[in-house]
Structures are given as structure tokens and as C-alpha cells.
Amino acid sequence: MKLLASLFFLGLLAGCQRNPAPKPVAEYQMRGEVVGLDPAGQLATIKHDKIEGWMDAMTMEYPIKDKQEFSKLKVSGKFQAKILVQGTDYWISTVSPDQGK
């Protein structure tokens, strides 16, 4: 019984990590068009092309953490940006006008 209790306790200790290592941030390129903006939530609904290595073309909502980057987006505006992905979190970064390649 003591052995079982000791193993249980060791299992609990192994599961408790004080400073887990942050997940790496992956970076992808996006080209799209702004369908809608939610300034209160700093969210943009984007119709985008395929994001190579991450997602097929679709329309969905994306958060933009940086207020300056959010201010660069206009409804019906076409743009290029980076998508940063960390674990299950993702957001738009580094927005610039689409040069129409």
C-alpha cells in the first residue's frame, strides 16, 4: 500500500511543472481580403487563400493583438500578413497591402 501511495505521489509531482517551456511560435504567410472588422474585440473576418503548411482557403475570424496592425485593415481591403501560431492560439501580424502578384 505504501508503494502504491508513493508511486501516486511521484506521479503527481511529475505532472506539476512550475515553469513549462513556452510552445514555439510557427509563422505562415497569408493573402486575403477583409470581410468584416470588430474593433471592440480586435477581430477581423478574413477571406483568405490557402495558407501553405497550415490551412486551406476559407473565410474565418482572426484576432489581431497589435492595435497598429489592426488599424491597417479596412473592409474590402486586400492585404498580406503573417499568421503566428502558438499551440492552439493564432493571430495576424505584420499587415501590408497586397501588391497583387
Side-chain angles (χ1 to χ4, degrees), residues 32-50:
E33 180 178 350
V34 180
V35 176
L37 292 171
D38 173 6
Q42 232 168 275
L43 300 167
T45 303
I46 307 296
K47 179 179 179 183
H48 62 77
D49 297 341
K50 180 177 182 177

Side-chain angles (χ1 to χ4, degrees), residues 18-29:
R18 290 184 185 258
N19 294 318
K23 294 182 180 178
V25 176
E27 185 178 298
Y28 303 94
Q29 296 299 313

